[in-house]
């Protein structure tokens, strides 16, 4: 996602949710976990996540490992399985673990693009400091305006005295924003890789209008659904799959992951 956006900043809450869901689907493809659809007493679908192993030693990806270990904790004492509803409750009750997991995913993404020489580590740090400064300027500006107005009610001179401070904060924020915007974090390799991900996203956005011969075989779409989930466009991809492959739902394993991409 960082390469796709060409922005090496921490993921937002919405983005981390998409990534978490995509990693779950990826773990399913690797048979580390499996999904099972059951009917509850009201006839509604109840999705169970079942752990196929009791440790993460066989996982090579740091992202996969972080999420898998999170699931191990969540399923402890539950016979190695948990429903999506139970997982949602677990996440709400263990916010500290969620923050730690998010930080791991943020850092792993940055470390990976740096290791592949797709981004410059020093420039990344420089941009992060600039963005932190912008936030501090913004807080200072709000503080000066709010408290300047409060004291200005009682003493107009106090409010007038805050005007130079407000101007300085605005100028500082604007200048720092320009500096942050001009920092070139990504190398040419990183830019090229980002364009490839953009091309994949464009392809998945409207592949049903293409010639049938140009579309990958159905067996590849399970992996593509992982990316579509991370991009936040799984629903649209699934609807297009139904057009291109009218009988794709007869594949029970594939249909299970398609269903999960909807649920996530």
């Amino acid at each position: 996602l960082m390469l796709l956006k060409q922005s090496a900043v921490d993921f937002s809450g919405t983005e981390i949710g998409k990534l978490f869901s995509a990693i779950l689907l990826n773990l399913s493809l690797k048979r580390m976990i499996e999904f099972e659809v059951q009917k509850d007493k009201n006839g509604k679908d109840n999705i169970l996540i079942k752990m196929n192993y009791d440790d993460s030693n066989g996982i090579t990806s740091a992202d996969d490992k972080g999420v898998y270990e999170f699931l191990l904790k969540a399923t402890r004492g539950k016979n190695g399985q948990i429903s999506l509803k139970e997982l949602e409750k677990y996440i709400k009750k263990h916010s500290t673990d969620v923050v730690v997991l998010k930080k791991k995913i943020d850092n792993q993404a940055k470390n990976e693009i740096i290791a592949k020489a797709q981004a410059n580590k020093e420039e990344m740090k420089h941009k992060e400091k600039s963005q932190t400064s912008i936030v501090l300027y913004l807080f200072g500006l709000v503080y000066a305006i709010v408290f300047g107005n409060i004291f200005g009610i009682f003493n107009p001179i106090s409010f007038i005295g805050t005007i130079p401070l407000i101007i300085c904060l605005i100028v500082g924020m604007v200048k720092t924003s320009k500096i942050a915007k001009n920092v070139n974090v990504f190398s040419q390799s990183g830019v090229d890789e980002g364009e490839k991900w953009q091309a994949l996203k464009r392809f998945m956005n409207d592949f049903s209008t293409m010639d049938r011969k140009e579309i990958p075989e159905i067996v590849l779409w399970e992996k593509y659904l992982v990316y579509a989930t991370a991009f936040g466009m799984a629903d649209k991809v699934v609807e297009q799959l139904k057009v291109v492959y009218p009988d794709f739902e007869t594949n029970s394993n594939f249909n299970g992951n398609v269903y999960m991409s909807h649920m996530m």
Side-chain angles (χ1 to χ4, degrees):
L1 279 183
M2 287 184 180
L3 288 168
L4 179 72
K5 300 184 303 173
Q6 289 292 288
S7 177
V9 298
D10 290 351
F11 296 116
S12 67
T14 302
E15 289 171 335
I16 209 68
K18 294 172 185 176
L19 287 172
F20 183 83
S21 300
I23 292 170
L24 285 183
L25 290 176
N26 197 41
L27 288 171
S28 174
L29 288 181
K30 294 179 178 179
R31 305 293 185 262
M32 298 298 294
I33 64 174
E34 63 178 289
F35 301 119
E36 183 177 310
V37 183
Q38 298 179 343
K39 296 289 184 181
D40 61 19
K41 59 183 180 181
N42 297 318
K44 295 182 178 180
D45 289 337
N46 184 34
I47 313 299
L48 284 179
I49 300 175
K50 293 187 174 182
M51 313 298 289
N52 285 341
Y53 302 94
D54 59 1
D55 63 63
S56 58
N57 290 332
I59 303 177
T60 55
S61 167
D63 289 343
D64 287 353
K65 189 170 184 177
V67 172
Y68 191 81
E69 289 175 347
F70 183 85
L71 289 177
L72 285 176
K73 289 183 180 180
T75 56
R76 192 169 294 156
K78 297 180 178 291
N79 296 320
Q81 64 182 35
I82 190 170
S83 70
L84 284 188
K85 290 181 180 178
E86 290 173 330
L87 180 59
E88 183 179 356
K89 291 179 181 178
Y90 181 87
I91 287 172
K92 289 179 179 178
K93 289 182 180 180
H94 297 79
S95 57
T96 301
D97 290 344
V98 175
V99 171
V100 171
L101 176 61
K102 180 187 180 301
K103 195 62 181 176
K104 284 182 180 179
I105 294 175
D106 288 332
N107 291 337
Q108 172 59 23
K110 293 175 185 178
N111 291 338
E112 186 171 335
I113 59 179
I114 289 172
K116 292 180 179 179
Q118 294 169 339
N120 183 284
K121 185 176 181 179
E122 295 305 317
E123 293 295 340
M124 192 180 292
K125 287 182 178 179
H126 181 40
K127 187 155 190 169
E128 287 176 347
K129 288 180 180 179
S130 297
Q131 289 166 338
T132 300
S133 297
I134 293 171
V135 173
L136 292 176
Y137 275 124
L138 184 59
F139 274 112
L141 185 61
V142 172
Y143 183 90
I145 293 173
V146 171
F147 282 88
N149 275 317
I150 290 174
F151 290 114
I153 294 173
F154 305 103
N155 184 359
I157 296 176
S158 296
F159 177 65
I160 294 173
T162 62
I163 292 177
L165 174 61
I166 291 172
I167 294 173
C168 288
L169 288 169
I170 292 174
V171 171
M173 189 166 61
V174 171
K175 285 186 176 181
T176 307
S177 297
K178 289 182 179 179
I179 292 172
K181 186 177 180 180
N182 293 328
V183 173
N184 188 14
V185 171
F186 293 93
S187 64
Q188 186 59 51
S189 173
V191 173
D192 293 343
E193 188 68 18
E195 289 177 352
K196 291 177 183 178
W197 286 110
Q198 285 285 358
L200 176 61
K201 186 176 180 180
R202 287 195 298 271
F203 163 72
M204 290 194 295
N205 193 51
D206 197 20
F207 65 87
S208 62
T209 60
M210 296 177 62
D211 188 303
R212 178 66 178 81
K213 295 178 182 179
E214 299 176 3
I215 301 174
E217 293 298 320
I218 187 69
V219 293
L220 295 177
W221 280 98
E222 272 190 313
K223 186 172 182 180
Y224 281 10
L225 271 176
V226 174
Y227 299 129
T229 302
F231 295 161
M233 55 189 298
D235 284 350
K236 183 170 184 178
V237 169
V238 169
E239 291 307 311
Q240 292 192 88
L241 280 172
K242 291 178 182 179
V243 175
V244 178
Y245 300 103
D247 59 344
F248 84 98
E249 290 181 319
T250 59
N251 184 323
S252 60
N253 183 51
F254 180 57
N255 189 37
N257 282 309
V258 167
Y259 189 86
M260 282 307 302
S261 71
H262 274 298
M263 290 298 296
M264 290 308 172

